[in-house]
């Protein structure tokens, strides 16, 4: 089983809709969790860290479920500019593992 | 704003050449990383460094070496470039809590 798994998508979502995707991790000793976004042919950019109590940044909400070993990202009122690949990242001690990403297409 | 710069956006080298990729960060981060990204394989860690002159192997260190003589600079060296090292190379630095900030990447083609 891969240490970090994401549905590759693509998720095709109309503008203004709410979309959510999950990322599962296999090692219960994982300590830190992050979401990054990566635009086509660009570098990944930190979207948000994911805290145990969940956290929100504008239209974006991240949740951590340690019991079921997954993190989630919810995007409300989606914009065309949200089209990107969303990478889940998990840290365990010195080891940082990137998921392969979920592609999101927002449709006008 | 954190800034991570890489010496080249695009690079074309011949098989067997020694290749240097430079990365500089301006946020006084102790942690720095080199990744390569290939379609279908995602980001894979080559090497990382927690301090000057410190280096640790990542998941795919074979064929690569690194140098960190100054805190702000982390170099990736391909000792003898091969065609299977054609890839996008991404450098990152991170905060103590491992929030990583990436450079724009170097697209290396080895012919």
């Amino acid at each position: 089983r891969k240490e970090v798994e994401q549905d590759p998508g693509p998720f095709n979502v109309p503008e203004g809709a709410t979309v959510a995707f999950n990322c599962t991790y296999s090692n219960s000793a994982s300590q830190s969790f992050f979401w990054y976004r990566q635009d086509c042919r660009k570098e990944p950019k930190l979207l948000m860290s994911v805290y145990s109590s969940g956290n929100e940044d504008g239209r974006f909400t991240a949740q951590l479920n340690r019991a079921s070993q997954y993190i989630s990202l919810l995007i409300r009122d989606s914009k065309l500019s949200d089209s990107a690949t969303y990478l889940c990242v998990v840290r365990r001690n010195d080891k940082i593992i990137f998921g392969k990403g979920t592609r999101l297409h927002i449709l006008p | 704003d954190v800034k991570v710069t890489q010496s080249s956006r695009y690079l074309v080298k011949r098989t067997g050449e020694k290749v240097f990729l430079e990365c500089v960060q301006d946020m006084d981060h102790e942690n720095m990383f080199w990744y390569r990204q290939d379609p279908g394989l995602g980001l894979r860690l080559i090497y990382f460094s927690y301090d000057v002159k410190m280096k640790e192997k990542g998941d795919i260190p074979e064929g690569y070496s690194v140098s960190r003589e100054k805190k702000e600079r982390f170099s990736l060296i391909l000792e003898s470039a091969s065609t299977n090292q054609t890839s996008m190379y991404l450098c990152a630095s991170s905060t103590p809590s491992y929030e990583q900030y990436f450079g724009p990447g170097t697209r290396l083609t080895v012919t």
Side-chain angles (χ1 to χ4, degrees):
Chain A
R1 183 183 170 187
K2 292 178 186 168
E3 192 151 2
V4 177
E5 288 198 80
Q6 296 184 251
D7 182 341
F11 284 50
N12 296 310
V13 172
E15 192 176 8
T18 295
V19 60
F21 23 84
N22 290 343
C23 164
T24 59
Y25 60 95
S26 61
N27 196 312
S28 60
S30 298
Q31 296 158 293
S32 305
F33 308 89
F34 309 89
W35 284 104
Y36 286 74
R37 71 169 278 166
Q38 185 172 25
D39 295 294
C40 189
R41 303 182 82 80
K42 298 279 189 132
E43 74 273 21
K45 292 188 176 174
L46 179 67
L47 184 63
M48 53 203 306
S49 302
V50 186
Y51 304 122
S52 296
S53 54
N55 47 303
E56 189 174 307
D57 183 1
R59 297 181 294 108
F60 298 83
T61 300
Q63 299 274 358
L64 167 64
N65 186 318
R66 283 197 181 273
S68 300
Q69 294 183 201
Y70 73 87
I71 65 172
S72 63
L73 180 68
L74 179 84
I75 306 174
R76 286 181 299 277
D77 187 23
S78 53
K79 312 287 184 196
L80 294 175
S81 57
D82 294 334
S83 296
T85 296
Y86 289 83
L87 305 172
C88 165
V89 180
V90 174
R91 181 184 72 86
R92 175 173 47 84
N93 298 322
D94 296 341
K95 193 169 168 67
I96 300 174
I97 308 107
F98 279 75
K100 291 186 181 177
T102 297
R103 283 185 296 144
L104 175 64
H105 295 154
I106 304 299
L107 307 172
Chain B
D1 263 3
V2 176
K3 193 162 184 186
V4 180
T5 57
Q6 295 183 228
S7 48
S8 306
R9 293 300 300 273
Y10 300 94
L11 210 51
V12 179
K13 295 291 182 181
R14 293 196 181 277
T15 302
E17 280 193 82
K18 191 168 186 174
V19 181
F20 293 87
L21 302 181
E22 302 280 336
C23 174
V24 178
Q25 51 97 1
D26 67 357
M27 281 304 292
D28 203 35
H29 287 162
E30 291 185 346
N31 302 335
M32 295 189 76
F33 308 81
W34 274 107
Y35 294 90
R36 62 178 284 178
Q37 186 172 31
D38 301 287
L41 297 177
L43 271 87
R44 293 181 291 167
L45 181 64
I46 305 171
Y47 267 97
F48 57 99
S49 169
Y50 291 126
D51 203 349
V52 175
K53 298 195 187 294
M54 303 279 289
K55 59 186 178 185
E56 296 285 341
K57 291 180 180 179
D59 299 318
I60 50 163
E62 297 79 17
Y64 303 95
S65 62
V66 289
S67 171
R68 190 148 181 220
E69 297 295 321
K70 292 185 177 181
K71 192 174 186 179
E72 67 271 18
R73 189 179 297 269
F74 192 33
S75 302
L76 180 70
I77 303 147
L78 285 66
E79 297 290 343
S80 177
S82 63
T83 54
N84 64 12
Q85 292 179 310
T86 291
S87 186
M88 170 67 90
Y89 289 88
L90 290 157
C91 173
S93 69
S94 86
T95 65
S97 55
Y98 292 92
E99 294 174 336
Q100 293 186 82
Y101 296 87
F102 285 83
T106 296
R107 191 166 292 278
L108 173 68
T109 302
V110 182
T111 62

